[in-house]
Amino acid sequence: MTAERERRPADEVRLPAAPDGTDENLSLLFGTSTALFASMAGPAHVLEAANPAFFAAIGGGRRERTGVPLAELMPELAAQGFIGLLDQVYRSGTRHVGRDARVLIGLGDDTREAYFDFTYEARRDAGGNVLGVRMIGVDVTQVKHARRLAVEQRALLEQIARQAPLSEVLDGMCRAIEELSSEVIVSVLLADEDGRHLHHGAAPSLPDFYNQAIDGITTGEGVGSCGTAAHRRRNVIVSDIATDPLWDDFRDLAGRAGLAACWSTPILTRDGRLLGTFAMYHRVPRAPQDTDLAMARVFADTAALAVERHRAEQARLAADEREKAARDDLAFLLTASTALAGPLDERQTLQRLATLSSPALAPLAAVDVVEAGRVHRVATAAPAGEAHRLLASHAPARDTEDDAVARVLASGLTEVARRTPTGPGPWQDLGVTGYVCVPLLDRDRPFGALTLLSTDGHSFDGHRVALAEELARRAASAARNARQYAQRAALARDLQTGLLLPDLPEIPGAQLAAFYHPAGEGLEIGGDFYDVFPRDDGSWAFILGDVCGRGAMAATTTALVRHTARAVASLLDDPVDIVKAVDKALNDRYAHQNNGFVTLVYGHLAPAADGLAVHLVRAGHTLPLLLDTDHAVDTVEASGGLLGIGIPPRLAARRFTLRPGESLLLYTDGLTECRTDGEDGTEQYGDMRLAKALASAPRRPTAADIVEAVAEDVRGFVNGRDVEDDQAVLVITADEPAP
C-alpha cells in the first residue's frame, strides 16, 4: 500500500536525480544548453530586443546591439537561408520550428559551428496584423556534441565487446575525441603489472619522438601530468606546462612537441588498481571546464574497460590445460545451480539432480529420500529405457547395514567403492562396476542420498567424487529452499483465506460482489481486506481497507482491524465511534513500535423505504464511488485521517440513500495506482479510468456486473504486467423493488 500522494499542477516538473558513474558524466555534457530570445520588427527584421544568451550565442562583442536589421548584424545568415525563413514567417504569419539546425556563426577565420532548436513566430498587434517575428530557441551545440561523444563511446564499447585488439580500441578512441574537439590531442599510457611504469598505448597525433621519450616513464610525484596522476591516483591538471613544476624534467620535450597544457586522468579498476592514464593536451595554456573533466572521466572509464578486457583475455590465453578442467567444472556447477534453482518443487529439484548427474558424472544415477521413516526412490536417470526401469524399481532398505544408501543415511558420509554395491539389487542386469553414494544434508542431517553407478569403461576418481559432493550440496540446498517455499506458500494461502470472506452474505434489498487480486507470487500476505457482517439491530456493517506493508505483520494488523470492528459494532451505533475504537486498538498495539498505518472505509447498511440507508466513515482511504441509474459516476465525499499513527483522526460521517439500481464501489489504491508500459514510460491506471470503467457497466447492472467490468478493464490495462500492490473492490448495489 502507498500513502496518498500530494497532487501537483500539470505544468510542474520534478527533475530526476543525476545518475552515477558514466551517466553522471554524460549528464554534465547534456546539461549546458541555454535558452535564447530575440524580437524583430518589420520586413527588415530589425532587432528590437534580445536576452544576454542570444548575444552570447551569436558572438557577443560588437554584435551586442539592437536597432539594426538582423541581416546587417549577422550577414552570414542570409546564405544559410535563415533570413528567407524570417521573411516567410513575416509574410505568412505561420510559425516555423527548426530542430538541430546547423548554423555557421561568424565570418572568415572566426567562423564556428553551432546547433539550435528554435521557433520563429509572428508578432501581431491587437488587430491581428503581423508586426515582426519573435525567435525563441535553445543552443544545443553541446548537447549535439555530447550525443556524438556518446555514439563514439558506444562504438568503442561494441569494439570491446567483440574483443577488438586493444591498440585498435585505444587508437580509435583518441581519434574520435580529436575529431570532435579539434583543439585536443589525446594520449593513453598503459601501466605495467606493478604500476611503477607507464608505456605507450595510443597517441596518434603526438610526434613519434615525444611518444618514444615518455614510453616507460616511472610513476611518481613530479613526473609530468601523467606520472603524477598515476602516482596520486587522481586527476592532475596542468594549465600551463611552461610554469608548472611538475613538468620541470619534461618542459623542453613538451616545447619541442608544441604542447602547452596537459590534463591527466588515471585509469583505474574498480578496486583502485592502476591501469594507465588518459591525457588531453592543448597547444595553448588552458584550464578545463566541467564538460572537459566529464569527458575525461567517461573515456577513462571506457579505456579501463578495454584494458581490463585485454588483460583478462591475455590471462585466458596464457592459462594451461589444467585450468581448462577447472573452468569446465565451474561451468558444470553453474549450469547445475541454475537448473536446480529453477523449480520451486522438491521432487522436480531432485529429479533434475539425477538428470544432471547422468551422464555427466556417471552412466546411472538415483536419488532416495527418507519420508515417514521409510526410504523412497524419487528420481532416476539412465541412458536406456530398460535400465531406467530397473533402476527405478529398486527400493533401498532403511535399517540394514548391507545397503550403501542405508549406511550413508546413518553416517552422513560419502561412500565410494570400485565394486558392485552390497545387498540385493539389479546390479548384474545393469552391469554395475562401482558406485558413489553421497548424502543430501539439511543442517548437517541427511534426508536423502545421491547414488552414482559406473558401468563398463567408466570409473570414479577423486575429481568426480568431489564434483558429485558439490552437486549434492547445491541440490540439497535447492531442495530445502523448495520445501520451505512450499510451506510458506501454503501458509500464505491459509492466512489469506482466513483474512478474506469465502462468500459474501446475502443482505435483504442489496447485492454484494467483491474482487481481490494479490500482488506478487502469493508468498507474502497482502494488506488489503474487506468484510461484511450483521449487527444486532438488523442492519449490516461493511468495511474495506488497506494496511501499510505486507507479510505477517500486515496479516495480524488486518485481523486486529476486522475483529475489533466486529467486536464493537454491536456495542456502538455511530460508525465514527467504531472507527475510533479501531484506531485506539491500533495505537495501543503499536505503543512501542512503528508498524505503519491503516486506511479504511467503514459503514452501516439498512433497508429503507426508498432503497438502502448508508451511514459511512472514511479514514484516509480512497473516496468511494457512486454509480446512479443514469450511469453517472460521482465520489462520496467524507473527510477523515489515517489510523494507527498516534494522532486522533478527525472523522466525519456521511449519510445518504442508495436508491434502487444505484451502486456503491469501495476500492483500494492498488487498483488506481497499477501501471502498464506506455509510450512515455509507465502509465498509471488512475481515478478517471476507474470512473469510466464503472460507467461502462451494462444498464441496470448487478453488483457482479460492475465487478466484472472493473476487473476486466484493469486486466486489459496492465496487459500481463505484474501489479505492485494488492487490489480489492467491494460493490454494494440496491435491489430494484419487486414488481
Side-chain angles (χ1 to χ4, degrees):
M1 170 189 167
T2 57
E4 294 184 0
R5 295 178 173 85
E6 179 184 356
R7 298 186 180 274
R8 293 181 173 83
D11 59 348
E12 181 179 340
V13 179
R14 175 177 292 177
L15 297 177
D20 295 333
T22 298
D23 288 342
E24 181 179 359
N25 299 326
L26 290 177
S27 177
L28 285 172
L29 295 173
F30 277 86
T32 55
S33 298
T34 304
L36 314 178
F37 170 80
S39 179
M40 291 155 282
H45 313 301
V46 175
L47 185 65
E48 289 187 332
N51 68 342
F54 174 82
F55 288 122
I58 67 173
R62 293 192 301 172
R63 291 191 170 189
E64 292 190 27
R65 53 198 176 101
T66 57
V68 296
L70 187 63
E72 179 182 334
L73 190 65
M74 300 179 67
E76 66 271 20
L77 294 183
Q80 300 177 60
F82 292 102
I83 301 301
L85 286 176
L86 289 170
D87 293 340
Q88 179 181 337
V89 173
Y90 182 81
R91 290 194 304 268
S92 66
T94 302
R95 183 176 62 174
H96 175 82
V97 178
R99 299 291 184 215
D100 280 345
R102 179 175 179 266
V103 184
L104 296 178
I105 298 176
L107 300 171
D109 295 337
D110 295 330
T111 301
R112 63 180 178 86
E113 180 185 66
Y115 290 85
F116 296 90
D117 288 348
F118 68 93
T119 299
Y120 288 165
E121 59 184 17
R123 295 172 49 209
R124 301 177 184 271
D125 60 15
N129 301 308
V130 177
L131 299 176
V133 178
R134 179 185 301 112
M135 188 281 294
I136 301 173
V138 177
D139 185 343
V140 295
T141 305
Q142 292 187 0
V143 174
K144 187 84 171 178
H145 182 62
R147 288 174 180 166
R148 292 164 66 184
L149 285 176
V151 169
E152 294 295 344
Q153 188 202 21
R154 185 164 58 249
L156 292 172
L157 293 176
E158 291 173 355
Q159 281 186 296
I160 296 171
R162 65 171 184 266
Q163 297 184 345
L166 180 61
S167 59
E168 179 182 326
V169 174
L170 297 180
D171 189 84
M173 181 178 70
C174 294
R175 294 182 184 277
I177 299 172
E178 292 171 352
E179 181 180 348
L180 294 173
S181 301
S182 57
E183 73 280 4
V184 175
I185 301 172
V186 181
S187 167
V188 176
L189 297 178
L190 300 178
D192 53 20
E193 289 296 332
D194 60 10
R196 296 181 179 178
H197 295 83
L198 298 174
H199 299 276
H200 174 70
S205 298
L206 284 176
D208 290 339
F209 74 84
Y210 185 88
N211 291 330
Q212 294 170 5
I214 65 173
D215 186 22
I217 62 171
T218 59
T219 60
E221 192 70 22
V223 187
S225 298
C226 294
T228 305
H231 172 69
R232 296 179 181 176
R233 300 295 201 272
R234 62 177 185 268
N235 292 357
V236 171
I237 307 300
V238 174
S239 302
D240 190 352
I241 291 176
T243 60
D244 198 294
L246 296 179
W247 281 79
D248 286 347
D249 296 335
F250 302 91
R251 188 168 290 114
D252 292 341
L253 179 66
R256 290 171 52 203
L259 305 176
C262 180
W263 317 327
S264 183
T265 301
I267 302 173
L268 305 173
T269 62
R270 292 183 179 180
D271 58 1
R273 290 183 295 110
L274 180 68
L275 297 175
T277 59
F278 173 87
M280 301 172 68
Y281 292 89
H282 290 267
R283 298 196 181 277
V284 295
R286 180 182 164 188
Q289 303 295 319
D290 287 345
T291 53
D292 298 317
L293 298 177
M295 186 194 312
R297 289 192 296 267
V298 167
F299 284 101
D301 290 344
T302 305
L305 182 61
V307 175
E308 286 189 284
R309 176 65 66 89
H310 172 74
R311 289 189 175 182
E313 179 66 12
Q314 292 300 310
R316 187 188 69 81
L317 295 175
D320 57 15
E321 289 300 322
R322 289 175 297 180
E323 293 174 341
K324 182 179 182 304
R327 287 196 302 271
D328 291 343
D329 291 347
L330 179 59
F332 170 73
L333 291 174
L334 288 176
T335 302
S337 296
T338 302
L340 292 170
L344 289 173
D345 180 272
E346 185 177 5
R347 289 298 179 94
Q348 292 183 27
T349 299
L350 296 176
Q351 179 58 58
R352 290 196 178 186
L353 169 61
T355 303
L356 289 166
S357 301
S358 173
L361 300 180
L364 305 171
V367 179
D368 303 288
V369 297
V370 179
E371 294 177 346
R374 298 174 60 88
V375 179
H376 299 274
R377 180 146 291 178
V378 296
T380 54
E386 180 61 18
H388 189 278
R389 185 189 66 78
L390 289 172
L391 195 59
S393 64
H394 174 249
R398 174 69 175 95
D399 298 319
T400 175
E401 295 183 358
D402 199 31
D403 189 274
V405 173
R407 292 192 296 272
V408 169
L409 289 174
S411 67
L413 301 175
T414 300
E415 184 172 312
V416 185
R418 295 184 179 179
R419 57 174 173 76
T420 302
T422 57
W427 317 127
Q428 185 174 356
D429 294 337
L430 292 171
V432 175
T433 59
Y435 68 90
V436 173
C437 190
V438 184
L440 301 174
L441 302 176
D442 183 357
R443 297 178 179 85
D444 297 328
R445 298 185 62 180
F447 68 90
L450 167 66
T451 303
L452 305 179
L453 302 169
S454 62
T455 57
D456 293 338
H458 181 274
S459 61
F460 293 106
D461 55 17
H463 171 248
R464 288 183 181 272
V465 173
L467 272 181
E469 290 180 327
E470 178 61 21
L471 179 63
R473 184 187 67 79
R474 299 185 183 205
S477 176
R480 179 173 65 251
N481 292 339
R483 191 183 315 121
Q484 292 174 347
Y485 177 89
Q487 293 169 350
R488 288 181 61 197
L491 176 62
R493 286 193 298 269
D494 293 343
L495 283 174
Q496 197 71 69
T497 300
L499 295 176
L500 297 177
L501 292 175
D503 294 301
L504 292 169
E506 293 186 4
I507 298 178
Q511 301 172 18
L512 302 179
F515 163 75
Y516 179 77
H517 184 194
E521 299 181 355
L523 284 185
E524 291 191 359
I525 303 94
D528 292 7
F529 64 92
Y530 60 86
D531 197 359
V532 181
F533 54 89
R535 300 178 69 241
D536 292 346
D537 62 358
S539 65
W540 291 79
F542 61 89
I543 185 172
L544 180 140
D546 194 351
V547 174
C548 177
R550 299 180 60 79
M553 182 57 70
T556 57
T557 303
T558 298
L560 175 65
V561 172
R562 285 184 54 199
H563 293 161
T564 301
R566 279 178 171 262
V568 302
S570 60
L571 304 175
L572 303 172
D573 291 330
D574 192 341
V576 170
D577 294 334
I578 295 172
V579 174
K580 287 182 177 180
V582 171
D583 180 63
K584 183 178 185 305
L586 290 170
N587 289 322
D588 289 346
R589 181 192 178 196
Y590 295 161
H592 303 292
Q593 304 179 51
N594 180 16
N595 292 309
F597 54 88
V598 174
T599 69
L600 58 81
V601 175
Y602 174 86
H604 294 161
L605 193 69
D610 53 351
L612 294 172
V614 180
H615 188 193
L616 62 76
V617 175
R618 183 178 74 94
H621 201 71
T622 54
L623 290 171
L625 297 181
L626 180 66
L627 177 68
D628 64 18
T629 54
D630 295 327
H631 267 231
V633 178
D634 198 1
T635 57
V636 178
E637 299 292 340
S639 60
L642 302 174
L643 304 182
I645 61 175
I647 301 174
R650 294 183 178 181
L651 304 171
R654 172 75 185 275
R655 292 180 182 270
F656 60 93
T657 299
L658 202 62
R659 304 190 183 282
E662 293 184 337
S663 298
L664 179 67
L665 181 140
L666 312 178
Y667 63 96
T668 58
D669 60 4
L671 196 73
T672 53
E673 293 180 2
C674 65
R675 295 179 177 274
T676 190
D677 295 325
E679 295 181 358
D680 300 324
T682 58
E683 178 186 358
Q684 196 174 75
Y685 186 77
D687 299 328
M688 295 298 295
R689 182 163 184 137
L690 175 60
K692 291 180 180 179
L694 181 59
S696 69
R699 303 297 297 179
R700 298 291 181 180
T702 64
D705 291 336
I706 293 174
V707 166
E708 178 60 26
V710 171
E712 184 65 26
D713 193 65
V714 171
R715 283 193 293 268
F717 175 78
V718 300
N719 193 26
R721 180 188 175 106
D722 291 336
V723 296
E724 300 176 356
D725 196 5
D726 304 323
Q727 300 171 348
V729 172
L730 176 64
V731 176
I732 303 172
T733 300
D735 270 339
E736 298 282 356

